[in-house]
Amino acid sequence: MLNIAQAVEADIPLIQAAAAESWRVTYATVFSSAFIEDFLSSAYGTTALRRSISSERSLFVVAKEHDHIVGFCQIGQGDSRYAGGFQLFRIYVIPSHWRRGVGQDLLARAEAWVLEQGGRGYCCYVHGLNEVGKGFYLKNGFLHVPEQDIEGEWYLWKDLAK
Ligand SMILES: CC(C)(COP(=O)(O)OP(=O)(O)OC[C@H]1O[C@@H](n2cnc3c(N)ncnc32)[C@H](O)[C@@H]1OP(=O)(O)O)[C@@H](O)C(=O)NCCC(=O)NCCS
């Protein structure tokens, strides 16, 4: 059974393992393996993750199945140029569990948090070559706003007031 819960420090090694699994498959044809490994060690290093998990300006949740982390996401206060300033910073599910609704469940939890904080929508970025990610967002009610794209990254917006 899938359980979605706020991440705690003890989850860090499992988040690192899930991130590595997902990143290596998702970006195999987008980034070099050196870039992927560098990114994983910096953005998913223990210190960086500890900071993200304990941040009061964001919510970091993990999806667990039998004590195994199969996905995670982080949403929070992002760039204040955008309405409400909320941004989905990351959402990853391990490839063996794609297309089982885990991503949708993680999004639902993230969106409930935005609404609790008084937000009415949020943005996110996805690499323009990440067809799986783009498909997921478009299926889940996000709108692509090309004028706001940055360096090959699609800018997407989701209105929660609708
Ligand atoms: C995007 C992601 C979080 C979705 O998680 P998920 O648990 O598979 O999502 P759900 O089961 O709720 O939704 C499934 C939808 O995601 C997309 N998707 C997931 N796996 C896919 C695949 N292998 N091929 C194509 N589309 C896929 C499709 O839009 C799919 O809908 P469909 O089955 O009707 O075509 C997950 O695929 C993932 O971690 N991808 C790599 C990381 C990523 O792209 N993150 C987002 C950008 S930062």
Side-chain angles (χ1 to χ4, degrees), residues 22 26-27 91-93 97-104 126 130 132-133 135-137 139:
S22 194
T26 304
Y27 300 116
I91 180 163
Y92 285 90
V93 173
H97 283 63
W98 286 359
R99 284 190 149 142
R100 293 191 196 175
V102 179
Q104 207 166 24
V126 61
N130 178 358
V132 170
F136 171 74
Y137 288 131
K139 185 185 167 180

Side-chain angles (χ1 to χ4, degrees), residues 14 17-19 21-22 68-72 92-98 102:
L14 296 172
E21 257 188 72
S22 194
H68 187 62
I69 288 182
V70 298
F72 57 86
Y92 285 90
V93 173
I94 58 172
S96 58
H97 283 63
W98 286 359
V102 179

